[in-house]
Amino acid sequence: SSKLKPSGGLFDMRKLLMTTAIVAGLGFGVGTGAIAAPVPVEALAKPPADAKAYVIASTGGVHGQIFTWTLADGTLMERASMNLRGQKFELEQASTFGGDHMPSSMTVRGFTPNGDAAETFAVGHAKATWKSQVDAGEATYSTPKLYVAAGGAFVSNMAVLVEALIASPSHAIDLLPGGKATIEKLTELQIGQGATKRTVVCWAINGLSNSASPVGTTTDGKFFAAVQGLGVLPADAVDSLAALNK
């Protein structure tokens, strides 16, 4: 089945939402070919010991790790590292949230094989502005809208999107730079055994690409996994990769 198979690349949010080839968009961000000086690995954030850990894995093994944690001031942090067939990705993202529970700022640092992955987004004075390696723009911000990053963090961005859609009474959210996303529940899947047995709820996100984008959450509506051959899932659930990928 394709219960947990998103329709795009794991680490490029706009490709995740707009294409159907998961491997084609494996960059956490997309570059323009211009040479820039990205933030070096040693300057990127170090996850604390209690950070939530995810793995980037395939049937061939683990290719990278993603850690998420929240700072004392409410900033959501993500640190991702991946080495896929010699292609190295090192990313950090910091996100803050406004009173409407949508991201009010986002800062991405680090690099992909394409070079600098820097990206910013901010809301202020009823205006949203953004700048990535592929575009820059602004839009009036008077009602809740969720910015779909060109690159940046996969888990944080997907979690915010999915959880906001589930929480919305209409199961719909307006997006930036444009468009609208909706979500509908598909089914539930049991994974693990004994003490590690858990239920994954499968959802279909619509309005993001030419086909629905399935994703898995916990029973309380929190992001759990996205799998299509190569997958992102909690480190303690890696043994369930094959089951999620059926």
Side-chain angles (χ1 to χ4, degrees):
S1 71
S2 59
K3 293 173 182 174
L4 295 179
K5 296 182 180 180
S7 62
L10 287 176
F11 308 109
D12 179 331
M13 281 299 292
R14 289 188 196 159
K15 283 188 178 180
L16 173 69
L17 305 180
M18 297 170 66
T19 74
T20 58
I22 196 167
V23 177
L26 277 176
F28 288 82
V30 289
T32 62
I35 297 176
V39 176
V41 174
E42 57 270 18
L44 298 177
K46 307 298 188 295
D50 60 351
K52 187 167 185 178
Y54 296 82
V55 294
I56 305 160
S58 71
T59 55
V62 173
H63 307 288
Q65 293 181 304
I66 298 175
F67 296 93
T68 64
W69 69 98
T70 303
L71 300 181
D73 64 0
T75 299
L76 177 62
M77 299 293 299
E78 179 165 328
R79 178 72 173 86
S81 179
M82 179 173 71
N83 187 332
L84 184 66
R85 297 177 181 175
Q87 297 187 83
K88 296 182 179 181
F89 304 77
E90 298 288 349
L91 277 298
E92 167 203 298
Q93 180 173 306
S95 304
T96 62
F97 299 85
D100 60 3
H101 306 294
M102 296 292 103
S104 57
S105 74
M106 179 187 299
T107 302
V108 179
R109 307 193 308 161
F111 60 87
T112 75
N114 290 319
D116 191 11
E119 182 171 358
T120 58
F121 169 78
V123 174
H125 305 291
K127 183 172 70 175
T129 59
W130 59 90
K131 181 177 177 58
S132 73
Q133 296 300 305
V134 295
D135 66 350
E138 63 180 48
T140 300
Y141 193 96
S142 56
T143 57
K145 295 179 181 179
L146 193 149
Y147 175 67
V148 179
F154 177 76
V155 171
S156 297
N157 292 337
M158 179 54 74
V160 171
L161 172 64
V162 172
E163 292 165 21
L165 283 168
I166 293 173
S168 169
S170 63
H171 288 334
I173 292 178
D174 290 325
L175 304 174
L176 290 171
K180 180 189 287 284
T182 62
I183 196 168
E184 61 178 314
K185 185 177 178 180
L186 297 176
T187 187
E188 296 185 358
L189 178 68
Q190 300 293 324
I191 64 169
Q193 297 180 352
T196 63
K197 186 175 182 179
R198 68 186 89 186
T199 300
V200 178
V201 184
C202 306
W203 303 82
I205 303 175
N206 298 293
L208 302 174
S209 66
N210 292 330
S211 60
S213 303
V215 67
T217 71
T218 59
T219 54
D220 59 351
K222 303 300 182 182
F223 171 79
F224 182 77
V227 177
Q228 186 178 349
L230 190 67
V232 172
L233 67 166
D236 61 2
V238 69
D239 289 343
S240 296
L241 178 65
L244 294 171
N245 203 34
K246 287 182 179 179

